[in-house]
Amino acid sequence: MNLQLNLRIIAVISAMLGLFQLPGLALAWHLGERLAPSAWTLVITFTLALLYMPSRGQLFGGGVNARDGVVAVILGWIVMILLGSLPYYLSGTMRGVDAMFESASGFTTTGSTVLADVEALPQGLLLWRSISQWIGGMGILLLAVAILPYLGVGGAQIMKAEMPGFRKDKLAPRIADSARILWAIYVGLTVACVLAYHLAGMSSLDALHHAFTTISIGGFSPKNASMGAYGPAVQWCAIVFMILAGINYVLYFQLIFLGEWHSLRDEELKWYGIIMLVGSLFCTLEAFASTAAKNLHDALLHGLFQAVSLVTNTGFANVDWETWPLYVQIILLTIAITGAMSGSTTGGIKIVRAIVLFKVLFAVINRMLTQERVIAIKINGKRIPAELLDSVMALGFAMTLTVAAATIILTSLNLDLATAFSATLATLINVGPGIGLVGPMENFGAIPDPGKWLLIVLMVTGRLEVFTVFILFVPHFWKPDAILK
């Protein structure tokens, strides 16, 4: 293990989290709230940063291999969650495990919460809660890669480990340039979202809160009723920006910077639209049939909002969809598992992987019918390499195994099956709400402490798409001669 690298990771993350604490501290000071929690957090984070901060040009060096990158990312996330929990704990509003849960949920953009009354939190702490999701959406280590161009080889390995996914598109020859492009798009969407929310009727502060948690696809809200606390104009804005946030950022780059309009014919983008339309159709029909919607507009708003919120894994709610029939709830959870597009800040398995799995299924059936016929699996007309197909199927099996094991553990803690299964699923795919005790209008406060620790692990595992965490438990990974691609 590269001890020097790990210490420097701690320094970089500590320094960045300290800087991101400043807006919440400034707001607390402006409103006359207690400054001690944020102030002590700043002292701790900046002390760690000063202890291990390297000189310019020596941050990670050029000798960082893939193993170092994986370990650095895991360590980085642990440190980030620990430090991010300090404002909650030091404010006296949460116990240790609850503070860790809220911090992990924020940084992984899961959006699950242990809070029964969100509005009781101080405004400065609420702003930190929203900022944590915005940081986690793109990834703080990716931000380090973007603003520290001398990361060299280490930057490539860290970016690969923190942003795993089906697509390996490279936006620029240099990793730092690619990271900066991604962050530029991310910031641009956030600014546009703030303006749209404000024009739709939100206060400036609420617009900032919700822009952070919409573009990151996180789902935290400073209101107990989530998006249900606002009018239709705000909710339509949320729908538009949740959809935009779920699009592959590579497509934005191709459209904005390269002018490649043919990217709109992307196969995954097409299915992204189809899934949202089909999901919203079922939800709209149910909303229209129930008493929740007074007219067709309300039914369409409720149906489309919930379908978009779940497929993008944002987790906002404008109605208690747990009161809808079970088959509609299952549809919503199914599209949540699928997630939005690869290369976005969404959770889930990603739509492109679902497409590949269906194509593999039909290819196997065709081979049974034609026996010796070889059928290539293609996306956007390009053949998918065999090793990529293997990784898609392995991920599906790994997630299934993880859900089964975690559900068994949670049921052993005297939770009912619906709550245990949906809590596992909601945290692993980073969607936020489940059903039962953790429904869209409930919270995770009823989960026993051992269960909360398990769900924290699941949130990080899901955010890093399983393999980055699972590989730590393979003995060969720790051998000096191990080779990682």
Side-chain angles (χ1 to χ4, degrees), residues 88 106 125-135 208-210 212-213 216 220-222:
Y88 302 115
L125 191 57
L126 279 175
L127 183 57
W128 166 244
R129 187 170 176 262
S130 299
I131 288 174
S132 69
Q133 287 207 321
W134 192 73
I135 298 169
L208 193 64
H209 276 293
H210 288 94
F212 283 153
T213 59
S216 65
F220 274 163
S221 173

Side-chain angles (χ1 to χ4, degrees), residues 134 181-195 215 241:
W134 192 73
I181 291 169
L182 290 172
W183 267 96
I185 296 170
Y186 191 60
V187 171
L189 285 173
T190 304
V191 171
C193 190
V194 170
L195 295 174
I215 301 304
F241 280 95

Side-chain angles (χ1 to χ4, degrees), residues 166 353 356-357 360 377 384-398 467:
F166 182 85
R353 289 195 181 101
V356 169
L357 288 173
V360 168
I377 308 297
I384 302 173
E387 60 269 20
L388 206 51
L389 291 176
D390 292 341
S391 71
V392 171
M393 290 183 282
L395 177 67
F397 177 73
F467 291 138

Side-chain angles (χ1 to χ4, degrees), residues 279-289 296 299-304 324:
S280 62
L281 175 62
F282 282 101
C283 293
T284 298
L285 290 174
E286 179 51 41
F288 190 66
L296 182 59
L300 180 61
L301 178 60
H302 291 165
L304 185 58
W324 293 351

Side-chain angles (χ1 to χ4, degrees), residues 89-111:
Y89 180 73
L90 294 176
S91 68
T93 58
M94 296 186 192
R95 300 178 303 124
V97 63
D98 290 339
M100 288 285 289
F101 185 97
E102 203 74 12
S103 177
S105 182
F107 286 120
T108 60
T109 69
T110 302

Side-chain angles (χ1 to χ4, degrees), residues 434-476:
I435 56 177
L437 296 177
V438 294
M441 297 300 170
E442 307 295 334
N443 61 77
F444 283 67
I447 304 293
D449 286 354
K452 289 175 184 173
W453 286 114
L454 174 61
L455 296 180
I456 289 170
V457 173
L458 290 179
M459 283 188 266
V460 177
T461 301
R463 172 60 175 80
L464 299 177
E465 290 196 340
V466 179
F467 291 138
T468 303
V469 175
F470 274 26
I471 198 172
L472 298 176
F473 299 95
V474 178
H476 183 67

